[in-house]
Amino acid sequence: MVEEKLMSKKKPTFPINEKLQAYLEKYSRSIKIPVFYDDLLRFQGSVVVYDQHDEDTYWVRCYYADYERDSIDESLKKIYTILHSDGSDDSFQYLNIDAIDYCTFGNSKPFRIKIRNVLNDSFTYFYVKKADASRIYGLEFEHLLSPHRITFLVYKDTLIEEHIAGIPGDVFIQNELPECDDRAKTQIAKQFVKFNERCMIRLLGDMRSYNYVIVPTHDFDHVEYQIRAIDFDQQCFEGKLKVYRPQFFKENFTMVELVTDHLENTSIEQYIKEERSLIAKRIILSKGRYRELMRCINSDNISNKEHVHKLRKELLDFTKDVKFKRARSMGQILKTALEFVKRNYEDVNMRTKIN
């Protein structure tokens, strides 16, 4: 199996150190919340959640004792208002916790909270997870270096994440992609090239098709597509460069075929160059915040020595940049990779100005 060759069987959870905690507090990512991940584990029973085709979704719906359910519901409403509003309880009477689901698949074992506004019957989700330093770095780098902003909160050992809307990649590939016309397929292929490059540069791993979503946006007479990561558990952990390149997972084979069938090599190179330039611009624009985050991850331990040595060598071979030889941690490897992209962008910019 591709996954067994590429990835470790189990990624450990890494604690939040003092530097990262200070960073989270400075940028309002760390706010006191009234319920913890472990509190939600005290459910009394559960039932399997099936999709519209009666397939097991790997989620179970949790049920709590009557004496606990009211306080849990109030706490989850409070979290929702902190995440999306001013944290006041003025709107509690209009909110209802429709479901608390627990995922039995993967590393993070998250809880998914479905919350509904009873006035207009609209609903959304958010997630409660165990706080993990590598996941937090993944979320924050996504916020700074991708085209998308992300809202999340951390309090002690609990992480709250907003829901990222979109069609799960595996569902889209199976059900939606065959119905797309050639123009749409070309546009999706372009976005996969850019997504693939973005993941590799910022070392976000394990982007199998169920770990990202396709986001269609209607624009006049056609539909534009974007690809967004939704799982940030594998930020800077694995030692194999291929783990950070979605094209090497068998679940993405259809997307790779799409690129091969619809894009010329010159177009692929153009889109790679575009994505690298955009990342370089975001690094420059985020200035102090980016530097502070890099200081946190440079001194943090979010992998093991074997993975650090292997990834350092593979990136040295891939880029021919001797600066990778000096990297002693995953954070330093990431900084070297990002600075490599930024330096190349600035060099091209300088030559353009001179000419």
Side-chain angles (χ1 to χ4, degrees):
M1 297 290 287
V2 175
E3 294 85 338
E4 292 176 350
K5 292 179 182 178
L6 285 182
M7 300 185 61
S8 305
K9 290 183 178 179
K10 179 72 174 176
K11 174 191 162 292
T13 298
F14 295 98
I16 300 170
N17 66 19
E18 290 183 7
K19 281 186 180 180
L20 180 56
Q21 181 61 39
Y23 173 93
L24 294 170
E25 291 173 1
K26 179 175 180 178
Y27 291 102
S28 301
R29 296 295 202 187
S30 181
I31 298 174
K32 186 176 181 180
I33 56 176
V35 68
F36 295 100
Y37 176 89
D38 287 346
D39 295 329
L40 298 183
L41 286 174
R42 298 199 301 266
F43 53 89
Q44 301 293 303
S46 63
V47 295
V48 176
V49 178
Y50 295 97
D51 64 15
Q52 59 184 345
H53 304 294
D54 290 327
E55 297 286 339
D56 189 344
T57 62
Y58 300 107
W59 291 85
V60 296
R61 187 142 299 164
C62 303
Y63 298 95
Y64 295 82
D66 291 341
Y67 68 88
E68 279 196 303
R69 183 63 198 239
D70 288 344
S71 64
I72 287 175
D73 280 9
E74 289 298 297
S75 295
L76 293 174
K77 291 177 186 179
K78 182 70 173 179
I79 288 175
Y80 172 80
T81 60
I82 293 172
L83 192 65
H84 292 291
S85 185
D86 59 3
S88 68
D89 58 4
D90 297 345
S91 60
F92 278 20
Q93 60 183 314
Y94 308 120
L95 300 175
N96 189 70
I97 304 299
D98 277 9
I100 302 174
D101 297 335
Y102 176 67
C103 185
T104 59
F105 177 75
N107 276 329
S108 59
K109 301 288 194 301
F111 284 93
R112 180 180 62 196
I113 315 302
K114 181 180 180 181
I115 186 165
R116 178 169 54 89
N117 185 314
V118 298
L119 292 178
N120 55 26
D121 211 35
S122 66
F123 62 87
T124 188
Y125 301 91
F126 64 89
Y127 298 87
V128 182
K129 303 178 180 180
K130 271 284 189 185
D132 171 31
S134 58
R135 177 182 290 276
I136 291 167
Y137 285 123
L139 286 162
E140 192 65 11
F141 279 115
E142 179 76 3
H143 183 78
L144 295 180
L145 303 181
S146 84
H148 316 290
R149 305 283 74 82
I150 282 193
T151 301
F152 67 93
L153 300 171
V154 183
Y155 184 59
K156 295 185 178 179
D157 64 347
T158 299
L159 169 65
I160 310 297
E161 285 183 35
E162 70 172 345
H163 175 65
I164 299 173
I167 305 169
D170 54 342
V171 175
F172 183 89
I173 289 169
Q174 181 177 344
N175 300 333
E176 306 290 332
L177 187 57
E179 304 302 318
C180 292
D181 59 24
D182 281 344
R183 184 194 182 282
K185 287 180 178 178
T186 299
Q187 213 258 329
I188 294 165
K190 168 188 172 180
Q191 291 302 321
F192 185 77
V193 170
K194 294 169 79 71
F195 178 68
N196 188 77
E197 190 68 14
R198 189 159 65 242
C199 291
M200 182 185 69
I201 291 171
R202 43 81 53 105
L203 299 184
L204 177 62
D206 193 18
M207 282 299 109
R208 286 172 279 190
S209 56
Y210 48 77
N211 286 332
Y212 60 81
V213 293
I214 312 293
V215 185
T217 304
H218 290 266
D219 184 22
F220 295 107
D221 59 347
H222 66 280
V223 179
E224 292 287 323
Y225 296 89
Q226 287 190 319
I227 303 178
R228 292 193 63 178
I230 58 171
D231 191 339
F232 303 91
D233 184 59
Q234 290 286 345
Q235 175 69 49
C236 296
F237 174 70
E238 293 287 349
K240 297 177 182 178
L241 182 57
K242 286 183 177 180
V243 172
Y244 305 104
R245 305 179 74 183
Q247 68 189 79
F248 287 105
F249 288 101
K250 67 180 179 66
E251 291 84 354
N252 294 326
F253 180 68
T254 301
M255 300 294 267
V256 175
E257 278 192 325
L258 207 64
V259 172
T260 303
D261 293 342
H262 289 81
L263 297 180
E264 300 290 338
N265 287 338
T266 51
S267 295
I268 294 172
E269 290 300 319
Q270 175 195 337
Y271 298 141
I272 289 173
K273 187 181 296 184
E274 285 180 8
E275 193 60 34
R276 291 187 177 194
S277 298
L278 288 171
I279 290 173
K281 289 176 182 178
R282 292 179 192 121
I283 291 171
I284 294 167
L285 289 172
S286 58
K287 294 181 181 177
R289 185 164 177 170
Y290 166 77
R291 288 196 295 268
E292 288 182 53
L293 186 60
M294 288 308 313
R295 281 196 289 268
C296 293
I297 197 172
N298 280 347
S299 59
D300 211 341
N301 176 32
I302 54 172
S303 189
N304 58 52
K305 289 183 179 179
E306 180 185 350
H307 288 175
V308 170
H309 294 160
K310 182 170 182 56
L311 185 59
R312 182 176 64 198
K313 182 182 183 306
E314 290 196 15
L315 278 167
L316 175 61
D317 294 340
F318 184 72
T319 65
K320 310 305 179 187
D321 185 351
V322 295
K323 290 183 173 64
F324 281 105
K325 288 183 177 180
R326 297 197 291 268
R328 295 291 178 266
S329 69
M330 279 296 185
Q332 291 173 13
I333 290 175
L334 176 61
K335 181 182 179 182
T336 305
L338 291 171
E339 289 301 313
F340 175 82
V341 170
K342 177 173 172 282
R343 190 168 61 251
N344 286 348
Y345 169 77
E346 290 173 334
D347 289 345
V348 171
N349 243 12
M350 183 61 69
R351 288 197 298 271
T352 303
K353 290 178 180 177
I354 292 173
N355 292 334

